[in-house]
Amino acid sequence: MADWFGPLRAVFADVTTGDDDTATPTLVMTVMRGLIFDLTTAGERKRTDLVLEEFAALLEKPTQ
């Protein structure tokens, strides 16, 4: 298992499905990597910041 699964699972405990959840930490890391890639290639800080804020808001919404 990747070293970053545990820390990300702990930070996002409210939206994970438990200790065996690898999808949520993978999703978070993938989005972060994509935004870093986009920022470094396109240089559009304002847009990537907005996307990060929108993604964070999605993670804060309670599941139904």
Side-chain angles (χ1 to χ4, degrees), residues 2-59:
D3 292 312
W4 46 266
F5 279 180
L8 282 177
R9 195 173 14 252
V11 170
F12 297 102
D14 292 345
V15 295
T16 62
T17 59
D19 289 340
D20 60 343
D21 180 6
T22 59
T24 302
T26 301
L27 174 63
V28 171
M29 184 58 73
T30 301
V31 169
M32 296 305 297
R33 286 176 176 164
L35 287 173
I36 291 167
F37 177 76
D38 195 41
L39 177 61
T40 58
T41 57
E44 296 181 34
R45 166 74 68 172
K46 186 175 181 180
R47 183 177 53 81
T48 53
D49 285 351
L50 179 61
V51 172
L52 180 57
E53 289 173 14
E54 289 290 325
F55 182 65
L58 289 173
L59 291 175

